[in-house]
């Protein structure tokens, strides 16, 4: 199948040379026929749409197929794949984004069949991280994750040479170039790992110095876009970039603030979690996530206005379990309560908290010390949150 005139081919990677300002993305997911997962395929695709929007794409269509497992060849079954191709003319999509990580072979097969750029959820998240990373540390971590993602996908990048046919000049260059690329990326990965290890040692020295000061650390954790940065801004009068988009901030930020009992504390905002968080991200951000291990208390910030708040909460708990952090004292901050109130009344903080405190909350975290209703935007409930942090720290530090 020939390439469209506005596409140039570099190996199997096809690059759109028209440089449209906004890419038109079609989203695709496979939903298991039977699953105990509380996330629906529609919820997952809605989150994928948010990720695509954050990356700057316009979503022009969605498709879900129910299969026991995704097809090893094309992810989709033959019928749905043909349907996806038929929708190309009416939607004019120029990129298809899949809700799961594709194998290198699946990605190549899909590019050959659909003749558009193919991305999976991992590549999309990595692209957003690359766009959002502002510090040198964050940029190093993202670059490492990108190279680790790219490395197994090098195979086939030079197989286009096979189409030249047999004979003089067709033997070897593909394999040689592939091996050259592999060595280059392996060396790049090694250099990035060394640089990140230097960052890790620097962070360790900083934490040791911080520990000698005796000032405890409180770390904010939570699903992406639950309002962690807004909360840190509200508590410390900091000026951290906060935006209503997924992964609006990546780089950890620490601010000093004073608790109601006059004791100082360092509060750290960390990268937001997300369902299907790529393992390469967890590995690359190890130096950053180590901040959580050193914290005396974790504040789990939950977007209470989200219709799947319970599922987001569980996703964070699962990641904390993977990071061996479930034994950390934890407070749940139920954020964005102002979005649960009717707009036909002007609510005061006291009225809002009294009204919502009588309503059942569809969340249960048996490991949490306590839960506090807050609105980081309105600055509601922050006094109670600080009091609970102070009480938790006094209890925690007294047992050390």
């Amino acid at each position: 199948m020939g390439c469209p005139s506005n596409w140039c081919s570099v190996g199997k990677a096809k690059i759109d040379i028209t440089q449209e300002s906004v890419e038109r993305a079609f989203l695709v997911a496979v939903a298991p026929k039977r699953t105990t997962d509380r996330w629906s395929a529609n919820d997952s695709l809605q989150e994928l749409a948010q990720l695509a929007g954050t990356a700057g794409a316009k979503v022009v269509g969605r498709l879900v197929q129910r299969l026991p497992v995704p097809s090893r060849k094309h992810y989709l079954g033959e019928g749905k794949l043909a349907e996806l191709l038929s929708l190309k003319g009416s939607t004019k999509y120029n990129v298809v984004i899949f809700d799961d990580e594709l194998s290198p072979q699946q990605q190549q097969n899909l590019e050959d069949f659909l003749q558009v750029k193919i991305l999976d959820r991992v590549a999309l998240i990595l692209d957003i991280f690359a766009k959002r990373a502002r510090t040198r540390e964050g940029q190093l971590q993202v670059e490492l994750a990108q190279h680790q993602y790219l490395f197994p996908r090098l195979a086939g990048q030079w197989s286009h040479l096979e189409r030249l046919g047999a004979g003089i000049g067709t033997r070897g260059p593909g394999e040689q170039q592939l091996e050259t690329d592999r060595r280059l990326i392996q060396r790049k990965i090694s250099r990035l790992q060394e640089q990140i290890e230097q960052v890790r040692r620097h962070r360790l020295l900083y934490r040791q110095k911080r520990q000698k000061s005796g000032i405890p650390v409180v770390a904010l954790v939570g699903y992406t876009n639950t309002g962690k940065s807004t909360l840190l801004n509200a508590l410390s009068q900091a000026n951290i970039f906060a935006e209503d988009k997924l992964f609006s901030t990546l780089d950890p930020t620490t601010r000093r603030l004073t608790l109601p009992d006059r004791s100082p504390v360092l509060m750290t905002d960390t990268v937001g979690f997300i369902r299907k968080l790529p393992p390469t991200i967890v590995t690359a951000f190890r130096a950053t996530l180590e901040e959580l291990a050193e914290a005396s208390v974790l504040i789990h910030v939950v977007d209470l206005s989200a219709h799947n708040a319970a599922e987001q909460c569980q996703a964070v708990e699962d990641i904390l379990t993977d990071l061996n952090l479930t034994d950390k004292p934890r407070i749940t901050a139920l954020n964005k309560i102002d979005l649960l109130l009717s707009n036909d009344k002007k609510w005061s903080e006291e009225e809002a908290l009294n009204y919502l405190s009588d309503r059942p909350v569809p969340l249960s975290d048996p490991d949490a010390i306590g839960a506090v209703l807050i609105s980081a935007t309105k600055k509601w409930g922050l006094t109670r949150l600080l009091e609970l942090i102070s009480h938790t720290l006094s209890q925690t530090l007294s047992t050390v």
Side-chain angles (χ1 to χ4, degrees):
M1 188 179 293
C3 286
S5 60
N6 63 322
W7 283 79
C8 64
S9 178
V10 182
K12 287 286 185 177
K14 300 176 180 66
I15 304 169
D16 188 354
I17 60 176
T18 59
Q19 295 296 315
E20 289 187 14
S21 58
V22 178
E23 291 184 287
R24 298 174 64 83
F26 201 102
L27 311 182
V28 178
V30 163
K33 290 183 177 180
R34 295 179 181 177
T35 179
T36 57
D37 195 338
R38 294 182 295 178
W39 287 75
S40 71
N42 288 332
D43 282 343
S44 196
L45 270 189
Q46 181 58 35
E47 184 173 86
L48 191 66
Q50 289 181 276
L51 288 167
T54 299
K58 177 183 179 181
V59 176
V60 296
R62 308 181 189 195
L63 186 149
V64 177
Q65 181 174 23
R66 295 204 170 274
L67 289 173
V69 292
S71 163
R72 293 179 64 181
K73 185 176 181 181
H74 287 111
Y75 184 79
L76 293 172
E78 291 184 5
K80 283 293 183 182
L81 187 63
E83 180 183 341
L84 177 60
L85 181 61
S86 70
L87 291 168
K88 188 175 178 182
S90 59
T91 62
K92 294 181 171 53
Y93 65 75
N94 53 17
V95 58
V96 181
I97 306 175
F98 291 80
D99 195 36
D100 294 295
E101 182 172 0
L102 299 172
S103 70
Q105 191 61 53
Q106 285 173 325
Q107 186 167 353
Q108 289 177 29
N109 292 340
L110 287 163
E111 284 181 349
D112 287 342
F113 189 84
L114 297 172
Q115 289 292 293
V116 295
K117 180 163 61 176
I118 302 298
L119 295 176
D120 60 18
R121 187 182 181 95
V122 176
L124 181 59
I125 291 175
L126 288 174
D127 182 78
I128 294 169
F129 272 41
K131 183 179 179 181
R132 298 289 185 177
R134 289 175 173 80
T135 66
R136 178 59 179 157
E137 177 188 354
Q139 291 165 352
L140 285 172
Q141 291 169 327
V142 172
E143 190 176 356
L144 174 60
Q146 288 177 316
H147 279 79
Q148 289 172 329
Y149 174 80
L150 174 64
F151 185 76
R153 287 162 174 78
L154 283 175
Q157 292 294 307
W158 293 90
S159 60
H160 66 294
L161 293 173
E162 297 169 1
R163 294 197 294 269
L164 296 175
I168 297 172
T170 61
R171 301 183 183 91
E175 281 186 30
Q176 292 171 10
Q177 187 61 53
L178 177 59
E179 288 306 311
T180 299
D181 288 349
R182 280 177 169 161
R183 285 195 296 270
L184 287 172
I185 288 187
Q186 282 178 326
R187 285 200 291 267
K188 183 66 173 177
I189 287 174
S190 296
R191 284 198 298 270
L192 288 167
Q193 288 173 331
E194 289 173 3
Q195 289 175 287
I196 291 175
E197 185 59 29
Q198 292 176 359
V199 171
R200 183 170 176 263
R201 288 195 293 267
H202 176 76
R203 277 191 172 277
L204 178 60
L205 291 173
Y206 176 72
R207 284 198 300 270
Q208 290 173 342
K209 181 179 179 181
R210 199 168 59 192
Q211 288 170 351
K212 289 180 181 179
S213 71
I215 302 178
V217 175
V218 175
L220 300 173
V221 299
Y223 211 78
T224 181
N225 205 32
T226 55
K228 295 188 284 48
S229 297
T230 303
L231 177 58
L232 184 55
N233 282 338
L235 290 172
S236 63
Q237 286 77 52
N239 190 25
I240 305 163
F241 178 75
E243 188 180 10
D244 188 20
K245 286 188 177 180
L246 305 187
F247 301 115
S248 60
T249 53
L250 288 182
D251 304 303
T253 305
T254 301
R255 293 291 183 268
R256 178 171 174 151
L257 55 107
T258 303
L259 296 175
D261 63 1
R262 303 286 186 180
S263 61
V265 68
L266 296 174
M267 185 167 285
T268 297
D269 180 20
T270 58
V271 61
F273 296 152
I274 196 170
R275 184 171 171 266
K276 301 180 183 178
L277 189 68
T280 50
I281 286 290
V282 176
T283 302
F285 276 70
R286 181 170 60 106
T288 300
L289 293 173
E290 283 177 351
E291 291 289 315
L292 300 178
E294 298 298 325
S296 299
V297 176
L298 302 181
I299 309 297
H300 181 180
V301 182
V302 178
D303 178 1
L304 195 56
S305 69
H307 78 279
N308 58 347
E311 286 75 22
Q312 290 186 3
C313 187
Q314 186 58 53
V316 172
E317 294 300 322
D318 291 342
I319 294 173
L320 291 177
T321 299
D322 292 341
L323 295 173
N324 297 316
L325 294 172
T326 52
D327 60 338
K328 286 283 180 184
R330 198 151 67 250
I331 296 170
T332 304
L334 303 171
N335 193 24
K336 302 190 183 182
I337 60 171
D338 54 302
L339 301 182
L340 301 175
L341 303 172
S342 62
N343 294 323
D344 58 356
K345 175 182 176 180
K346 187 174 182 180
W347 295 83
S348 69
E349 177 180 1
E350 183 179 2
E351 288 173 333
L353 293 176
N354 287 338
Y355 172 73
L356 293 170
S357 63
D358 294 331
R359 299 178 61 187
V361 176
L363 298 172
S364 61
D365 180 3
D367 297 319
I369 293 170
V372 183
L373 294 168
I374 68 166
S375 168
T377 301
K378 299 282 188 180
K379 298 186 178 181
W380 291 347
L382 301 190
T383 299
R384 172 60 183 144
L385 176 60
L386 289 173
E387 289 173 347
L388 188 54
I389 293 172
S390 180
H391 174 74
T392 303
L393 283 173
S394 65
Q395 294 292 108
T396 302
L397 297 178
S398 65
T399 58
V400 176

